[in-house]
């Protein structure tokens, strides 16, 4: 990988990364191309780069995370940033106040980049208006999770060589999923066709406005698709009963080899994690070394986050 492939000479036209909806096709391609270089870089395990040397990155997570937090931390460190992780429990009342107070406190320490996860949709955008640095949304409620959609796109593009013209089925708890929403925006922008498959109670109410085809029958929805993206049931975002039982859910919407047979023979199997084996996905399918790219998604996550961090912290005198 040449130095040129990892350089960031052109200014990126966005100060923050809050969602996929605001990114153009060109923006997305630019992030994916830069990420591509970081995949090679990470595999070679060379010395850390200094693109973020002298910069401070604070990861502010108001919600649990394993892979997203770890990969943002690794990404910042591999670029030479000083990285601080703050795990904050949201107090049950005055959530808004807590968030803004925390943001103002951190802002006074002059970080260069804040990576924020929060259980409320819109909270990260609100925070971005109160601070002077770049803000990356690492997942806000059921709204958006842009770096997940970017790492999914990178995984698909590397395996199938394109995004345009593909048919992607997003299956499961679409209603509560920020991963689904960000993927829908990205895939539509890149010219893919998106289907969502879910029980009627787990389809978003405004599904018609999302530019997707909705299915409640999983076999019909999987017919001839190139990619099957499974989602976890977001119980923490459900109030009340959305499902009769987990057993019944698995019967109708769990991905097993029998349902997978409706998709194209070489269709990719994806899942953002954490997976609930035997709930939304069968263990054999999740571990199918020929079809499942779930581990590759995790690898792509570090590369994509390196690219995003670099693009949002322009070099001095460089915009
Ligand atoms: C997702 C999330 O947090 O939105 N996980 C992740 O970032 N890898 C999906 C989920 O929690 O189900």
């Amino acid at each position: 990988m040449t130095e040129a492939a990892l350089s960031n000479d052109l200014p990126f036209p966005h100060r923050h990364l809050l969602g996929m909806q605001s990114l153009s096709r060109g923006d997305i391609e630019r992030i994916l191309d830069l990420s591509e270089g970081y995949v090679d870089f990470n595999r070679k395990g060379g010395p850390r780069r200094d693109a973020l040397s002298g910069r401070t990155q604070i990861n502010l997570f108001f919600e649990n995370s394993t892979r997203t937090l770890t990969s943002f931390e690794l990404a910042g460190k591999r670029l030479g940033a000083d990285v601080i992780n703050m795990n904050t429990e949201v107090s049950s009342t005055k959530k808004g106040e807590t968030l803004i107070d925390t943001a103002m406190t951190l802002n006074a320490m002059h970080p260069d980049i804040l990576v924020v996860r929060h259980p409320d949709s819109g909270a990260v955008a609100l925070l971005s208006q109160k601070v002077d640095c770049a803000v990356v949304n690492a997942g806000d409620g059921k709204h958006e999770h842009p770096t997940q959609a970017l790492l999914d796109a990178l995984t698909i593009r590397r395996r199938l060589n394109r995004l345009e013209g593909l048919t992607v089925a997003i299956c499961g708890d679409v209603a509560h999923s920020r991963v689904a929403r960000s993927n829908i925006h990205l895939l539509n922008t890149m010219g893919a066709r998106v289907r969502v498959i879910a029980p009627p109670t787990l389809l978003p109410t405004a599904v018609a406005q999302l530019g997707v085809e909705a299915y409640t029958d999983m076999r019909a929805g999987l017919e001839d698709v190139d990619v099957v993206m499974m989602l976890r049931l977001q119980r923490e975002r459900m109030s009340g009963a959305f499902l009769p039982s987990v057993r019944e859910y698995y019967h109708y919407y769990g991905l097993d080899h029998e349902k997978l047979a409706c998709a194209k023979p070489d269709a990719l199997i994806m899942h953002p994690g954490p997976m609930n084996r035997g709930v939304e996905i069968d263990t054999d399918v999740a571990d199918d070394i020929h079809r499942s790219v779930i581990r590759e998604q995790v690898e792509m996550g570090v590369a994509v986050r390196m690219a995003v961090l670099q693009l949002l912290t322009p070099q001095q005198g460089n915009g």
Side-chain angles (χ1 to χ4, degrees):
M1 186 49 48
T2 64
E3 199 52 29
L6 298 178
S7 75
N8 170 29
D9 289 338
L10 284 172
F12 190 63
H14 303 273
R15 179 156 164 69
H16 308 296
L17 178 63
L18 301 175
M20 292 313 305
Q21 220 169 358
S22 51
L23 296 198
S24 68
R25 196 172 174 140
D27 296 333
I28 295 168
E29 272 163 4
R30 183 143 173 232
I31 298 171
L32 296 183
D33 291 346
L34 184 58
S35 307
E36 203 72 70
Y38 279 121
V39 176
D40 289 354
F41 173 84
N42 289 335
R43 285 188 179 171
K44 283 198 198 111
R48 47 153 79 181
R49 283 176 51 80
D50 59 3
L52 263 66
S53 154
R55 306 301 183 105
T56 305
Q57 172 190 335
I58 303 183
N59 299 329
L60 180 59
F61 277 57
F62 293 92
E63 229 186 39
N64 288 340
S65 169
T66 310
R67 63 217 87 210
T68 305
L69 177 60
T70 314
S71 62
F72 267 113
E73 181 176 356
L74 259 181
K77 286 184 170 163
R78 285 191 183 159
L79 293 175
D82 295 318
V83 185
I84 295 159
N85 290 332
M86 287 193 54
N87 264 306
T88 314
E89 286 292 309
V90 181
S91 71
S92 52
T93 56
K94 299 182 184 171
K95 281 185 192 169
E97 218 176 88
T98 307
L99 174 71
I100 300 306
D101 281 349
T102 311
M104 299 314 288
T105 306
L106 293 177
N107 195 45
M109 299 178 196
H110 304 295
D112 297 282
I113 193 149
L114 273 177
V115 179
V116 187
R117 170 169 283 197
H118 197 278
D120 294 341
S121 305
V124 183
L126 180 69
L127 184 142
S128 73
Q129 294 160 17
K130 310 282 177 192
V131 296
D132 305 313
C133 63
V135 174
V136 182
N137 182 0
D140 63 326
K142 51 186 185 178
H143 177 229
E144 281 239 32
H145 190 355
T147 56
Q148 180 69 45
L150 287 161
L151 75 88
D152 290 339
L154 184 64
T155 309
I156 299 171
R157 200 178 79 163
R158 285 171 62 89
R159 282 288 182 136
L160 305 179
N161 299 316
R162 66 196 168 106
L163 294 165
E164 177 148 21
L166 296 178
T167 305
V168 179
I170 304 179
C171 318
D173 186 358
V174 183
H176 300 102
S177 174
R178 53 199 179 202
V179 174
R181 225 163 296 273
S182 289
N183 264 297
I184 289 168
H185 293 313
L186 182 148
L187 291 164
N188 278 339
T189 304
M190 300 309 287
R193 287 179 61 184
V194 184
R195 298 180 187 173
V196 294
I197 306 173
T201 48
L202 293 179
L203 279 173
T205 38
V207 69
Q209 284 139 48
L210 288 173
V212 298
E213 292 171 71
Y215 291 80
T216 51
D217 180 312
M218 190 155 178
R219 289 179 184 80
L222 290 181
E223 195 68 44
D224 275 338
V225 301
D226 299 283
V227 178
V228 186
M229 209 179 262
M230 299 307 299
L231 300 172
R232 181 178 66 87
L233 287 174
Q234 308 273 306
R235 291 166 193 279
E236 70 276 27
R237 295 184 223 292
M238 293 182 194
S239 47
F242 282 81
L243 300 168
S245 73
V246 164
R247 215 178 128 162
E248 194 171 327
Y249 181 77
Y250 181 71
H251 177 72
Y252 288 105
Y253 296 98
L255 186 68
D256 53 18
H257 275 296
E258 189 261 309
K259 295 191 196 78
L260 183 62
C262 300
K264 284 199 178 146
D266 54 353
L268 301 180
I269 301 158
M270 305 181 77
H271 194 304
M275 266 189 289
N276 287 315
R277 294 168 184 262
V279 178
E280 71 266 0
I281 191 162
D282 175 71
T283 269
D284 289 347
V285 172
D287 297 335
D288 183 332
I289 49 165
H290 303 293
R291 314 276 297 271
S292 168
V293 291
I294 296 170
R295 257 180 267 169
E296 214 165 298
Q297 288 173 268
V298 179
E299 182 188 5
M300 295 306 125
V302 180
V304 155
R305 286 164 182 135
M306 289 172 85
V308 166
L309 293 173
Q310 180 174 341
L311 288 169
L312 292 180
T313 45
Q315 299 305 298
Q316 255 91 34
N318 195 17

